[in-house]
Amino acid sequence: MSDRANTLITETLKRIHQVIVEHDVTYEEYQAAKQWFIDVGEAGEWPLFGDVYIEHAVEEQAFGNREGSRGTILGPFHLPDAPMLQAPFELPHRSDETGDRTQVSGRVTDADGKPLADANLDIWQADAEGRYSGFMPGPPEGNLRGQVRTDADGRYEFTTVIPGPYTIPLDGPTGKMTAAADWSPWRPAHIHLIVGADGYEPLVTQLFIATSDYLDDDVASAVKPELIVHPKATGDGEMAFTYDFALTPARTPAVA
Ligand code: MBD
Ligand code: FE
């Protein structure tokens, strides 16, 4: 492991040194960067920064060429142990939750299309104003977080609301860096899922709402065309879309 650490640390520092030489980085810029590292830590934004600006490359490297459904980044706002929902499978929400009500349904199969019964879908999302419960003021604890299981035919369904786009906090160091670089701080509206089944590789993914702004300019570089969904009006005042997930065998056998 120390060979590996040596290689990665050496190569990372070498690239930073190259930028300093190629762009004639000054002492003022070095001190500003150092203060920014301190600020990110003090603001507790390292998870945010990492998942916005680095995770997509790791995900693509790890899973970019796998069979089955596309994955994308996990991000910093997953919480373990969301409640298992019972019929009619509605994500917990406020009585006055805003956003279009939407029915989501589909199947979980293996890569050959064989239905997977009792597969688990762990679902979390922002509210219509782009706020995640447990991390931002507004939504109560556990809002818009839950898990559902597939039936004997591999089918799942749940009801939620269409989330709003998310912006990274503009007043924190990650937002200030983003503004300094003149980049957009927004993520398009998305629903997070981890789809898992015994013996299969967990699929960490997101579904992106086709009508959202910022699909072509996600600050976290996590949109893939296969993950865009098109909610349609059902006629009874709600929206609906379907999405099927295909899982691949676990890469490493479970350790007992
Ligand atoms: C998010 O909502 C998100 O999904 C990611 C990956 C990063 C920041 C905010
Ligand atoms: Fe998110």
Side-chain angles (χ1 to χ4, degrees):
M1 196 63 209
S2 93
D3 275 0
R4 177 73 173 165
N6 187 338
T7 301
L8 297 185
I9 295 164
T10 300
E11 290 296 311
T12 302
L13 290 173
K14 198 162 86 187
R15 281 165 173 74
I16 293 173
H17 302 155
Q18 279 169 355
V19 172
I20 292 167
V21 172
E22 286 171 19
H23 299 277
D24 195 16
V25 171
T26 66
Y27 248 100
E28 287 71 25
E29 287 165 334
Y30 168 65
Q31 299 294 9
K34 219 169 64 178
Q35 186 59 51
W36 179 85
F37 280 105
I38 294 167
D39 294 344
V40 175
E42 288 183 346
E45 284 193 358
W46 281 118
L48 176 73
F49 177 82
D51 295 348
V52 166
Y53 286 119
I54 299 173
E55 189 185 357
H56 68 89
V58 181
E59 192 280 329
E60 192 60 30
Q61 189 66 25
F63 295 117
N65 59 6
R66 79 163 150 201
E67 308 273 298
S69 297
R70 293 299 82 201
T72 190
I73 62 180
L74 175 66
F77 301 134
H78 179 250
L79 289 173
D81 306 320
M84 189 62 63
L85 306 182
Q86 305 303 327
F89 310 109
E90 190 160 345
L91 286 192
H93 61 81
R94 291 159 284 191
S95 57
D96 58 349
E97 193 73 45
T98 56
D100 290 331
R101 274 176 66 86
T102 303
Q103 299 157 19
V104 186
S105 61
R107 285 185 121 189
V108 180
T109 67
D110 70 8
D112 299 325
K114 181 175 75 90
L116 297 178
D118 211 32
N120 193 74
L121 295 88
D122 187 353
I123 306 144
W124 71 105
Q125 63 168 81
D127 68 10
E129 292 175 56
R131 298 171 304 190
Y132 284 88
S133 62
F135 293 89
M136 294 151 214
E141 192 182 334
N143 206 54
L144 299 176
R145 297 174 182 274
Q147 306 190 60
V148 298
R149 295 239 162 188
T150 56
D151 68 12
D153 296 322
R155 295 190 185 283
Y156 74 88
E157 61 181 59
F158 63 91
T159 303
T160 185
V161 295
I162 303 262
Y166 164 88
T167 170
I168 59 177
L170 302 177
D171 51 356
T174 307
K176 286 181 181 165
M177 184 207 79
T178 303
D182 203 19
W183 298 335
S184 163
W186 289 92
R187 298 212 63 216
H190 59 279
I191 298 170
H192 292 265
L193 304 103
I194 301 174
V195 184
D198 281 349
Y200 292 84
E201 191 69 21
L203 176 70
V204 176
T205 196
Q206 304 177 24
L207 299 177
F208 296 92
I209 309 301
T211 50
S212 175
D213 290 335
Y214 316 113
L215 282 172
D216 296 328
D217 193 18
D218 178 9
V219 67
S221 309
V223 178
K224 302 181 185 186
E226 301 88 342
L227 298 176
I228 297 175
V229 295
H230 297 259
K232 296 277 190 313
T234 57
D236 54 10
E238 300 197 353
M239 310 285 284
F241 68 86
T242 63
Y243 201 87
D244 295 336
F245 299 96
L247 303 186
T248 53
R251 294 188 169 190
T252 31
V255 185

